[in-house]
């Protein structure tokens, strides 16, 4: 499933390859894939004749600015929001972002092209999504998301954790509080920090909050360099009968925050 690292790869592909190309056709065959009242005619009208000028990201939401953005007054429909969902990929000129072995959606099947555009130069951008859990919207509400995990400061994390008695994992996985961390990255960061995922967020001591903040940064940096959210040390050990890569203890498998969670009963406390 795409987490922030995979979404960042898709954003970078859009930024590198899809900007400043005039959009001549909009492919929106699946009205269900369009969200928040958006219709195929409305998205066609907003995009045709425009170009993408910038590809931004907040958490797992990709924000593509259109050339109409920044005009005064700024017309509605100036920002295209792309959600990759559970299995979505971005393709520019048929090239997918990220590791082609990661997702089943690597199979080239145009029936999975839920949304896309054709450029005047003959190239294209498509969102390919076999499971159809991604989405497209215009002018997404960026403020419904918490601070992006890459930019999360220690002070922000301290405030976010201090406000909740829910399990710490559920809190950092909540996109309205921290945007971008999914199941694998949360398990890896908590494992690196030596913190039990089921502990109440509110009860973490300040030295533990500092350790978790550093672990989130390390997890994003190290796994980003390795190639994605599936490359964590703990993630590689997930599964029945497996052991903590740090101390060899049998891993604990539980449901925390509604998600299957792996942790070490020895060094995560
Ligand atoms: Zn351990």
């Amino acid at each position: 499933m795409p987490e922030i690292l995979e979404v960042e790869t898709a954003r970078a592909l859009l930024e590198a390859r899809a900007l400043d190309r005039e959009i001549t056709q909009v492919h929106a065959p699946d009205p269900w894939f369009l969200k928040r009242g958006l219709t195929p005619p409305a998205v066609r009208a907003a995009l045709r004749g425009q170009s993408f000028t910038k590809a931004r990201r907040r958490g797992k939401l990709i924000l593509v600015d259109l050339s109409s953005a920044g005009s005064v007054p700024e017309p509605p429909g100036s920002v295209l929001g792309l959600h990759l969902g559970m299995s979505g990929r971005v393709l520019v000129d048929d090239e997918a972002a990220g590791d082609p072995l990661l997702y089943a959606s690597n199979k080239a099947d145009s029936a999975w092209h839920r949304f896309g555009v054709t450029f005047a130069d003959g190239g294209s951008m498509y969102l390919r999504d076999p499971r159809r859990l991604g989405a497209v919207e215009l002018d997404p509400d960026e403020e419904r998301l918490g601070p992006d995990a890459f930019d999360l400061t220690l002070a922000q994390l301290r405030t976010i954790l201090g406000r909740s008695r829910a399990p710490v994992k559920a809190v950092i996985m909540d996109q309205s509080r921290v945007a971008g961390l999914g199941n694998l990255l949360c398990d890896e960061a908590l494992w690196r920090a030596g913190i039990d995922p089921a502990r109440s967020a509110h009860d973490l001591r300040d030295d533990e909050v500092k350790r978790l903040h550093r672990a989130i940064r390390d997890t994003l940096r190290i796994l980003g360099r390795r190639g994605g959210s599936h490359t964590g040390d703990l993630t590689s050990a997930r599964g029945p009968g497996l052991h903590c890569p740090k101390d060899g203890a049998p891993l604990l498998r539980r449901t925390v925050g509604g998600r299957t969670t792996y942790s070490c009963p020895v060094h995560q406390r």
Side-chain angles (χ1 to χ4, degrees):
M1 180 195 323
E3 292 198 30
I4 193 169
L5 298 171
E6 289 72 29
V7 178
E8 172 57 22
T9 306
R11 183 209 64 79
L13 176 72
L14 288 166
E15 181 81 14
R17 302 277 301 275
L19 302 189
D20 305 318
R21 301 170 72 180
E22 190 196 339
I23 297 164
T24 51
Q25 284 179 56
V26 178
H27 179 75
D30 185 354
W32 189 85
F33 207 73
L34 308 175
K35 291 292 169 352
R36 291 205 314 132
L38 187 61
T39 61
V43 74
R44 277 197 291 271
L47 267 60
R48 253 194 215 140
Q50 304 283 328
S51 54
F52 300 140
T53 56
K54 194 162 183 53
R56 302 178 287 118
R57 187 186 51 70
R58 181 144 169 189
K60 294 187 257 188
L61 170 64
I62 297 176
L63 298 146
V64 187
D65 292 335
L66 296 164
S67 37
S68 55
S71 340
V72 185
E74 187 168 292
S78 303
V79 181
L80 179 69
L82 302 176
H83 303 260
L84 301 185
M86 302 285 280
S87 62
R89 311 176 65 90
V90 166
L91 297 93
V92 179
D93 303 331
D94 292 329
E95 182 186 316
D99 180 348
L101 299 177
L102 274 183
Y103 303 114
S105 50
N106 190 45
K107 194 176 116 188
D109 184 342
S110 59
W112 292 337
H113 289 179
R114 310 292 178 189
F115 179 79
V117 301
T118 304
F119 300 114
D121 57 25
S124 62
M125 183 280 285
Y126 279 104
L127 213 161
R128 181 197 285 162
D129 184 1
R131 293 183 63 182
R132 206 172 164 234
L133 291 166
V136 169
E137 59 181 319
L138 282 181
D139 300 326
D141 175 15
E142 303 172 33
E143 298 311 312
R144 74 187 172 209
L145 296 166
D148 186 83
F150 275 104
D151 305 327
L152 181 71
T153 66
L154 175 59
Q156 284 170 330
L157 182 62
R158 195 179 276 135
T159 306
I160 289 161
L161 296 176
R163 280 186 190 146
S164 177
R165 298 192 179 275
V168 55
K169 177 177 173 182
V171 173
I172 59 173
M173 211 165 48
D174 177 346
Q175 302 299 301
S176 71
R177 298 193 245 207
V178 180
L181 301 179
N183 199 32
L184 296 181
L185 293 177
C186 287
D187 276 7
E188 178 78 11
L190 288 159
W191 176 80
R192 285 175 180 265
I195 294 168
D196 183 335
R199 290 250 320 265
S200 165
H202 183 270
D203 291 345
L204 259 55
R205 297 187 313 267
D206 200 56
D207 62 304
E208 292 173 320
V209 176
K210 282 182 184 148
R211 280 207 323 258
L212 179 57
H213 183 250
R214 178 170 309 151
I216 290 171
R217 298 186 84 106
D218 288 350
T219 297
L220 293 175
R221 180 173 49 82
I222 295 167
L223 276 56
R225 203 170 52 210
R226 288 178 186 168
S229 41
H230 64 296
T231 62
D233 293 358
L234 177 70
T235 311
S236 313
R238 278 170 78 99
L242 290 165
H243 297 83
C244 174
K246 205 171 276 198
D247 50 45
L251 290 177
L252 194 60
R253 180 183 188 273
R254 286 172 295 177
T255 300
V256 179
R259 301 293 300 273
T260 300
T261 299
Y262 287 90
S263 64
C264 171
V266 171
H267 88 273
Q268 288 180 257
R269 299 187 160 272

